[in-house]
Amino acid sequence: NAHIGAEGHPSIHDIRDESDAVVLACGATKPRDLPVEGRDLEGVHFAMEFLHANTKSLLDSNLSDGNYIDAEGKSVVVIGGGDTGTDCIGTSLRHGCKSVVNFE
């Protein structure tokens, strides 16, 4: 991660002066909910909730704290695609999920 404009880091003006274009690829951290039956059932999670909890637990304790949504041995369905969907698939496979299906 970059701290643009912070002390010891380039400013946005420095970056713009040295570049032909600047692309802000921050990602969406606010999920778009689906108004479907069963959305509120246990085991249905937003992608960023799943990924953030996994990454934090991995960095804090190498997953030993158990503070993540575990996909081990589970049949996982990922609804949505792009990088976030792919990250969810990869994380589920690393956990040792039983199977994974993706609906884009």
Side-chain angles (χ1 to χ4, degrees), residues 35-56:
V36 296
E37 185 179 337
R39 166 61 189 95
D40 58 345
L41 293 174
E42 184 177 339
V44 178
H45 305 280
F46 288 119
M48 293 310 295
E49 172 190 8
F50 175 62
L51 295 172
H52 180 266
N54 184 78
T55 300
K56 182 168 182 2

Side-chain angles (χ1 to χ4, degrees), residues 27-100:
T29 57
K30 184 176 180 183
R32 185 176 62 209
D33 208 351
L34 295 175
V36 296
E37 185 179 337
R39 166 61 189 95
D40 58 345
L41 293 174
E42 184 177 339
V44 178
H45 305 280
F46 288 119
M48 293 310 295
E49 172 190 8
F50 175 62
L51 295 172
H52 180 266
N54 184 78
T55 300
K56 182 168 182 2
S57 179
L58 182 64
L59 294 174
D60 288 351
S61 71
N62 201 28
L63 303 179
S64 66
D65 62 12
N67 293 328
Y68 63 99
I69 300 165
D70 191 0
E72 182 178 5
K74 297 178 180 166
S75 299
V76 176
V77 175
V78 176
I79 300 173
D83 291 338
T84 303
T86 301
D87 288 347
C88 290
I89 292 167
T91 298
S92 298
L93 291 171
R94 283 190 293 279
H95 283 192
C97 67
K98 179 178 166 183
S99 65
V100 64

Side-chain angles (χ1 to χ4, degrees), residues 4-5 9-19 22:
I4 305 301
H9 297 274
S11 72
I12 188 65
H13 300 290
D14 296 333
I15 293 170
R16 182 61 189 107
D17 289 344
E18 298 171 10
S19 307
V22 176

